[in-house]
Amino acid sequence: MVVRATARRLGDLRRRRAADRRFGVHLLGSVAVAAAAAVPFGLLLVLVEGRWQPLRSLDARTARRLNETALGHPAWTDALRFLSDRVWDPVTLRTIVALLTVWLFYRRAWRLAAWSAVTATGGGLIGLLVKTLVERARPSLEDPVAHAPGFSFPSGHAMTATTSFAILLLVLLPLVPRALRGLCWGIAAVSVLGVGFTRIALGVHWFSDVVGGWLLGLAVVALTTWAFEAWRTDAGRRPAALSEGLEPELTGAHPEPGPSSGRRHGGSVRDRRPGG
């Protein structure tokens, strides 16, 4: 009996280790192909690089009208600048994600912490790489209300907001009461859209830059999330709905499978319980 139980535990341990190895390959591989796998982003990139006239006209019209509005409403412009440079600044969002990742390590949610770190870091590096390759100039307005360094496409603010709020949502949803989860999705959506609007209204990005940042950020999140779900399947855990977050078991004492999270500690029950 003891020998059989020991053999079973060793078999489970080997399967978890094999699942972890496949998870690492999936996670890193998904980041490497994120830009190429994003078909909508690829199409937009072709249109930007090809200087497609309808898109250029839309960009120019939007920039001009919002610039005129900003010049006529200084207080409104100051509020947009505060949101863009302080509240939704990439440094602020990346710091929050970094603190969340540290907390996940403390909770011993190792793989979820790895997903968070790779999604945030990989997204930032891919965005920087695309900017360098495209080398698109920022809007040049007659009377600008703000300035920003570097190239324009895709918007780093828009991409960082997309990946950061996705990470926060998909990690923390299991800890949020069900009645408030819709509100969390709403706040995240308004924030991501708001970041894009502030960058266009301040005249530091074209409309297509912001859309490109959103699309590329979504591609990175989708592919790393696929890698995480592949690990859950390999580890014998049920698929988790987006409404539950990536790891519903985060509410339990043992968020990830391991020697101490067996039936004696309720790990198997938590794994089967919907919503964590």
Side-chain angles (χ1 to χ4, degrees):
M1 193 74 174
V2 175
V3 174
R4 190 178 305 167
T6 302
R8 187 165 54 246
R9 283 196 296 271
L10 289 174
D12 290 342
L13 181 59
R14 281 194 295 269
R15 282 193 294 272
R16 284 194 298 270
R17 286 177 176 173
D20 287 345
R21 286 193 294 271
R22 288 191 291 270
F23 170 57
V25 172
H26 288 152
L27 195 59
L28 295 176
S30 64
V31 171
V33 302
V39 175
F41 174 79
L43 176 60
L44 180 63
L45 178 58
V46 169
L47 297 178
V48 168
E49 286 284 77
R51 300 177 178 272
W52 191 48
Q53 190 56 45
L55 182 61
R56 294 184 67 187
S57 298
L58 175 63
D59 280 339
R61 232 177 13 251
T62 306
R64 184 177 63 254
R65 289 178 180 175
L66 287 176
N67 180 245
E68 291 171 357
T69 303
L71 289 171
H73 301 81
W76 181 70
T77 304
D78 289 341
L80 293 180
R81 190 179 290 111
F82 173 76
L83 288 172
S84 180
D85 297 343
R86 296 289 183 270
V87 180
W88 291 326
D89 181 67
V91 174
T92 302
L93 296 179
R94 287 168 184 157
T95 300
I96 293 173
V97 170
L99 292 174
L100 175 67
T101 304
V102 171
W103 177 77
L104 289 172
F105 273 113
Y106 173 77
R107 284 281 288 114
R108 298 181 182 274
W110 315 114
R111 300 159 191 86
L112 195 58
W115 173 83
S116 171
V118 171
T119 302
T121 305
L125 292 176
I126 289 173
L128 183 61
L129 175 62
V130 175
K131 273 181 182 285
T132 304
L133 292 175
V134 176
E135 295 186 339
R136 190 186 197 187
R138 292 182 184 270
S140 179
L141 303 170
E142 186 176 338
D143 194 2
V145 297
H147 299 275
F151 297 119
S152 191
F153 182 89
S155 166
H157 276 68
M159 186 172 179
T160 301
T162 302
T163 55
S164 298
F165 279 102
I167 291 169
L168 293 172
L169 268 178
L170 294 176
V171 169
L172 296 177
L173 274 180
L175 307 177
V176 177
R178 289 184 179 275
L180 298 179
R181 290 179 184 178
L183 177 62
C184 292
W185 281 100
I187 292 172
V190 168
S191 297
V192 171
L193 293 174
V195 168
F197 178 77
T198 61
R199 302 308 285 170
I200 303 169
L202 291 172
V204 293
H205 275 294
W206 303 107
F207 172 76
S208 53
D209 296 336
V210 168
V211 175
W214 289 336
L215 291 175
L216 191 54
L218 284 173
V220 172
V221 171
L223 287 165
T224 57
T225 298
W226 167 81
F228 191 87
E229 287 297 328
W231 165 74
R232 283 182 64 87
T233 300
D234 286 343
R237 287 198 158 176
R238 65 176 179 80
L242 279 181
S243 59
E244 300 177 86
L246 276 187
E247 197 160 67
E249 298 83 5
L250 193 63
T251 56
H254 304 286
E256 294 189 3
S260 60
S261 59
R263 186 175 302 273
R264 181 183 301 178
H265 293 84
S268 299
V269 174
R270 287 191 189 96
D271 286 356
R272 294 195 303 268
R273 190 177 67 194

